[in-house]
Amino acid sequence: MKVLLSTLNSKYIHTALSLRYLKAFAEKETDVEIEIAEYTINQNINHIIGEIYRKMPDVLAFSVYIWNVSEILSISEAIKMLLPDVKIVLGGPEVSFETESLIAENSAVDIVISGEGEISFAEVLVALRGEKPLSTVLGITYRDGDCAVVNPSRTELADLSEIPDVYSGDLEEYENKIIYYESSRGCPFNCKFCLSSTIKGVRFFDIERVKRDLKRFLDAKVKQVKFIDRTFNAKKAHAMEVLRYILENDNGYTNFHFEITAHLLDDEMMELLSTLPPGLVQFEIGVQSTNSETIDAINRTTDFERLSKSVAKLRSLQNIHLHLDLIAGLPHEDYRSFEKSFNDVYSLKPEKLQLGFLKLLKGSSLRAERELHGFKFIDRAPYEVLENRYMPYSDMLRIKDIEELVEVYGNEKDFEKTVSYMIENIYRSPFRFYEALSEYWRENGHYESPHSKVVQYKLLKEFAEKKHGSDIDMMTELLRFDFVRNTRSPNVPEFLGGKSGELSKEEKYLLLRDEEMRNRYFGDVDERDYNKLHKKLHFEKFKYSMDGEPLESVYMFDYSVSERELQKSRVLDIKDELERVMRCLG
C-alpha cells in the first residue's frame, strides 16, 4: 500500500511538522512506507494535481488548515476522478469539526480525522489494509456509501514520548526554511476565539529530547526555529531550561521564536533573558485588546498593567525582538475603543505590531456566540468577521487601511524617526497619525498598486508637505536620516537632498585614518579588517540633530551589523571627531 502525506504550506520557507509526526508514528506502529510531498498555495493547482497523480498513491492524506482547505478539496476532487480507487483522508484543525457535513458535501473525501491524529492515522492505515474495521478507529468520521459514520472521539496522547523523533536524520531539507517545533501541547488559557481552548491541560515533551533536537538545529545552522507552543512560558522551569540551553549553545546565526504570556515573566526569568545576545530570540505576545469588557467576553486572562511593565523591562534589555498582537472585531470593541487598544499597545514600542482581524474558526466558543454579538462573516475559510454589533463594516475597512500602513511605516522601522516625530509633535496619538495617513492614501489612490521603498519615502514626504508644510524641513531631514540608516550604500534620492549631505572625500579619508577615532569606535578590529570596514561605512551631514534641534550634526552609519541584530546599522554621532580632525588639518 502506497501512502502519500501532503499539504499546501502558505509559503515555500514553511515546513509542516504535522506530516512528519504522522509519518514517524505510523511507520513505528505499522510496516507501511509513507512518502511526504509538500507544496504551497502559490503553486498552480494543476501542477500539484499532476505531481500527485504521477506518484500513484493508494492512500492520499492531507493536513488541512484555513489557508489551504479550498485548494485541497479541489485537488481531492480531481485526484478522485483520475484515481477512483484512491482513499482520501483529511485531518487538521480546519476539518476536525462539522465532519458529517464535510463528507456529505465532498464526495471525494473518504475519511476525516478529528483532533490529534498520530494514533488515529496509524489505525486508519491498518484498517485500509483490511486488518481491522474502520468502525473501531476512534476519532474519525468515514464514508459508508452515501452516509457519514461518526466514531467516538479519541482522547489526546497522554505521553508525548510515544511520538518518535522526527529530526534524527539529515536536516538539509530545512536549508533556508523555518523549522516549526513544539516542546509542549495545549494551553493553560481558554480564549474563546482560539482552538487551543478545545484541548484541556498542557503536556510537555521530555526536556532531554527537546535539547537533542535543539542541538541538531544549532549544529545544522538552520535560520529560524519557530516554537508553536501556545504559551511557551506556561511552565517556568521548562522555559528557562530551553532558554539556557540555546544560550549555552548559541551558534551566532540561528534565532528562535516563542509565543509567551508577558505577565508570567518574573525577576528570575528577566535576569536570564538579560544575558541573551541580541537577536537570539523573538517573543510574540498576544494582547488582542485592552478593553476590559472585551477581555472578559472572550474569556482571556490579561493584566495589561503587569503586561506593560514586563514589556517595558524586555524593551530595556535591547536584545529581544518583540511582536505584540491586536485583534479587530472582538465583542464590545467599537472603533474608538479599538483606537485606545491600538494606542496602548503602540506606546509599548514593540518591533512589530501585528494587527489581525477576528476569524470565527470552526470549533471555537466565539463562533457559537455569533448571534449574541451580531457577527457577520462568510462561512468559508478564513471565516473573517466583516462586522458585528459594535463595529460596522465601514469601520473595519478603515482599520484594514490602517493595518496596511502600520506594516509599511511602522513595523519595518525604515521610517522610525520620521513617524515618531509626527506622532509625538503633531498628532499626539499613533492611531490618529495612521488614520490621517490612510485617509490621504485613500483619497489619492495610493492603495491601488504596490510601491517600492523609495516611493514609500516619497509618499510620506508628500503627505507631510501637504498636511504639515511648516515642519517640512525638519521632516525631510528625518526622512533622509531614516533612509540612510536603513539603506546600505545609500544613493539618497533627490527629493531627500541627494548628495548634499555627503562628506567630501578628504573629510572621509581623514576620519578613517584618524587613530583616535579608530581606537574609540573600532579598537577591537585588526588592521586588515579595518581596511575592509570602510566599505560598510557611510558619513552624512544633517541640518538638524536627530532629537529635533536645529543644530548641524554629522553621523557615521556602520552597516557591518549581523543579520540577527535589531537594527540595520549602528549610528554614531561624530560631529566632534570631524571638527577635531579638520582643526588638526588647519
Side-chain angles (χ1 to χ4, degrees):
M1 185 169 68
K2 189 173 183 180
V3 179
L4 182 65
L5 269 170
S6 187
T7 195
L8 277 66
N9 297 318
S10 59
K11 294 181 180 179
Y12 172 76
I13 61 171
H14 295 173
T15 53
L17 176 59
S18 58
L19 301 187
R20 289 154 177 83
Y21 277 154
L22 293 169
K23 172 180 164 68
F25 193 91
E27 288 183 340
K28 182 192 78 165
E29 298 295 318
T30 72
D31 59 358
V32 176
E33 189 173 328
I34 301 170
E35 180 183 355
I36 289 177
E38 292 179 86
Y39 307 98
T40 79
I41 57 173
N42 300 311
Q43 289 179 276
N44 181 281
I45 195 169
N46 289 319
H47 168 77
I48 297 172
I49 292 167
E51 290 298 301
I52 292 174
Y53 175 82
R54 289 186 180 95
K55 295 178 185 294
M56 290 289 170
D58 299 303
V59 178
L60 174 59
F62 284 107
S63 187
V64 189
Y65 301 86
I66 58 172
W67 63 79
N68 64 21
V69 59
S70 176
E71 291 86 351
I72 284 176
L73 290 175
S74 296
I75 292 167
S76 298
E77 182 181 4
I79 292 296
K80 197 72 165 184
M81 284 192 290
L82 298 166
L83 302 172
D85 294 330
V86 70
K87 294 297 182 182
I88 294 181
V89 183
L90 305 184
E94 174 54 23
V95 296
S96 287
F97 306 91
E98 302 177 15
T99 55
E100 280 185 273
S101 60
L102 176 65
I103 284 183
E105 295 166 8
N106 297 276
S107 59
V109 178
D110 297 295
I111 301 168
V112 179
I113 297 174
S114 296
E116 292 183 5
E118 286 91 356
I119 299 175
S120 297
F121 181 64
E123 291 187 7
V124 162
L125 296 184
V126 172
L128 291 178
R129 289 198 306 188
E131 298 174 17
K132 66 184 296 184
L134 280 171
S135 60
T136 65
V137 180
L138 299 179
I140 71 167
T141 301
Y142 65 95
R143 181 179 300 282
D144 184 4
D146 293 330
C147 299
V149 180
V150 182
N151 288 354
S153 61
R154 182 184 297 280
T155 57
E156 286 82 23
L157 192 63
D159 184 2
L160 296 180
S161 65
E162 292 184 33
I163 303 174
D165 190 344
V166 298
Y167 296 108
S168 57
D170 189 353
L171 297 183
E172 279 189 14
E173 66 170 310
Y174 299 105
E175 186 176 358
N176 298 319
K177 291 189 176 183
I178 296 172
I179 285 185
Y180 287 87
Y181 185 77
E182 64 177 355
S183 67
S184 67
R185 286 186 180 179
C187 182
F189 305 110
N190 292 288
C191 305
K192 288 185 177 181
F193 57 82
C194 181
L195 289 185
S196 293
S197 63
T198 64
I199 301 173
K200 304 303 179 186
V202 184
R203 293 157 290 151
F204 293 85
F205 283 88
D206 177 71
I207 191 64
E208 295 306 317
R209 169 179 172 154
V210 173
K211 289 178 181 179
R212 286 196 303 272
D213 288 338
L214 295 177
K215 184 69 163 59
R216 293 181 185 122
F217 303 153
L218 289 161
D219 288 347
K221 288 200 168 183
V222 301
K223 187 166 186 177
Q224 185 178 65
V225 179
K226 191 165 188 176
F227 277 62
I228 58 174
D229 301 40
R230 301 314 301 163
T231 305
F232 170 68
N233 61 329
K235 184 178 178 182
K236 175 185 166 184
H238 175 87
M240 290 190 69
E241 195 155 358
V242 170
L243 290 169
R244 286 195 189 100
Y245 188 83
I246 63 176
L247 171 62
E248 292 165 2
N249 294 274
D250 179 26
N251 61 16
Y253 177 73
T254 304
N255 75 75
F256 296 83
H257 181 104
F258 304 96
E259 292 186 34
I260 68 163
T261 296
H263 69 258
L264 295 180
L265 299 175
D266 62 12
D267 290 342
E268 185 182 14
M269 178 70 84
M270 285 292 185
E271 179 63 29
L272 172 59
L273 295 175
S274 71
T275 65
L276 302 179
L280 176 60
V281 304
Q282 301 175 359
F283 282 164
E284 183 172 344
I285 301 170
V287 182
Q288 319 315 359
S289 173
T290 63
N291 181 322
S292 59
E293 190 176 5
T294 298
I295 293 299
D296 289 342
I298 61 176
N299 199 32
R300 188 164 178 79
T301 304
T302 300
D303 183 332
F304 186 69
E305 184 177 351
R306 287 179 61 190
L307 182 150
S308 299
K309 290 178 180 177
S310 293
V311 171
K313 287 182 181 179
L314 290 172
R315 284 275 301 158
S316 70
L317 301 179
Q318 297 184 327
N319 62 347
I320 296 172
H321 196 281
L322 297 177
H323 295 192
L324 269 60
D325 301 338
L326 278 178
I327 297 177
L330 291 170
H332 305 292
E333 184 117 83
D334 61 15
Y335 186 78
R336 289 306 165 197
S337 169
F338 184 81
E339 175 182 353
K340 181 182 182 303
S341 291
F342 182 97
N343 285 339
D344 288 342
V345 174
Y346 198 96
S347 68
L348 299 178
K349 298 183 177 180
E351 275 68 38
K352 188 177 182 68
L353 195 168
Q354 297 183 148
L355 204 171
F357 294 84
L358 179 62
K359 296 172 177 60
L360 295 182
L361 303 176
K362 288 182 179 179
S364 66
S365 300
L366 210 52
R367 184 183 175 96
E369 297 178 356
R370 53 187 177 271
E371 291 186 10
L372 173 65
H373 300 295
F375 289 127
K376 294 182 181 179
F377 67 105
I378 298 173
D379 198 9
R380 291 192 300 274
Y383 314 109
E384 187 170 293
V385 169
L386 302 174
E387 68 174 14
N388 58 30
R389 183 167 294 169
Y390 320 97
M391 191 181 295
Y393 184 53
S394 57
D395 285 346
M396 292 288 276
L397 286 177
R398 293 168 72 188
I399 293 174
K400 279 187 174 291
D401 279 354
I402 289 169
E403 183 269 339
E404 187 170 334
L405 294 187
V406 170
E407 281 297 314
V408 171
Y409 289 109
N411 290 339
E412 291 300 316
K413 303 303 178 187
D414 289 337
F415 308 85
E416 187 172 13
K417 282 286 185 183
T418 313
V419 169
S420 294
Y421 177 86
M422 295 181 79
I423 289 172
E424 293 167 11
N425 295 279
I426 300 173
Y427 288 93
R428 313 289 182 181
S429 157
F431 190 85
R432 293 296 171 94
F433 163 73
Y434 286 105
E435 184 180 55
L437 183 59
S438 69
E439 289 169 357
Y440 174 80
W441 268 50
R442 182 60 59 189
E443 290 166 2
N444 290 276
H446 297 322
Y447 283 107
E448 295 172 9
S449 60
H451 304 291
S452 68
K453 187 65 68 177
V454 171
V455 172
Q456 290 168 0
Y457 278 95
K458 187 175 184 180
L459 293 178
L460 188 56
K461 184 185 178 185
E462 289 175 356
F463 169 73
E465 283 178 321
K466 291 184 179 179
K467 300 292 183 179
H468 313 288
S470 60
D471 276 345
I472 194 58
D473 285 347
M474 178 65 202
M475 285 188 279
T476 300
E477 289 290 271
L478 290 169
L479 276 167
R480 182 157 61 93
F481 179 89
D482 281 331
F483 183 89
V484 174
R485 181 171 60 172
N486 295 291
T487 309
R488 192 175 292 237
S489 302
N491 182 15
V492 179
E494 287 300 320
F495 64 84
L496 294 180
K499 296 183 180 296
S500 62
E502 284 192 22
L503 270 61
S504 68
K505 289 183 179 179
E506 181 183 33
E507 289 172 322
K508 286 189 280 189
Y509 176 81
L510 290 170
L511 284 169
L512 289 168
R513 303 323 303 169
D514 181 67
E515 197 69 25
E516 186 176 332
M517 180 171 167
R518 175 182 170 176
N519 290 336
R520 177 175 296 179
Y521 298 118
F522 306 105
D524 57 345
V525 179
D526 63 33
E527 182 71 25
R528 183 177 177 182
D529 289 336
Y530 183 70
N531 290 333
K532 296 178 182 178
L533 185 64
H534 75 275
K535 297 178 182 178
K536 297 180 179 179
L537 300 177
H538 179 83
F539 303 91
E540 191 88 7
K541 291 180 181 178
F542 296 87
K543 293 183 290 185
Y544 292 80
S545 66
M546 289 304 108
D547 58 7
E549 295 297 320
L551 299 171
E552 185 178 274
S553 55
V554 184
Y555 294 97
M556 177 174 67
F557 299 85
D558 177 5
Y559 304 106
S560 63
V561 295
S562 71
E563 283 189 31
R564 283 202 327 197
E565 292 195 44
L566 306 185
Q567 54 190 356
K568 295 179 182 177
S569 67
R570 186 168 59 122
V571 183
L572 300 165
D573 184 343
I574 59 162
K575 181 183 177 183
D576 292 344
E577 280 78 2
L578 180 60
E579 290 177 349
R580 178 177 52 76
V581 297
M582 295 308 292
R583 281 198 304 270
C584 292
L585 180 65

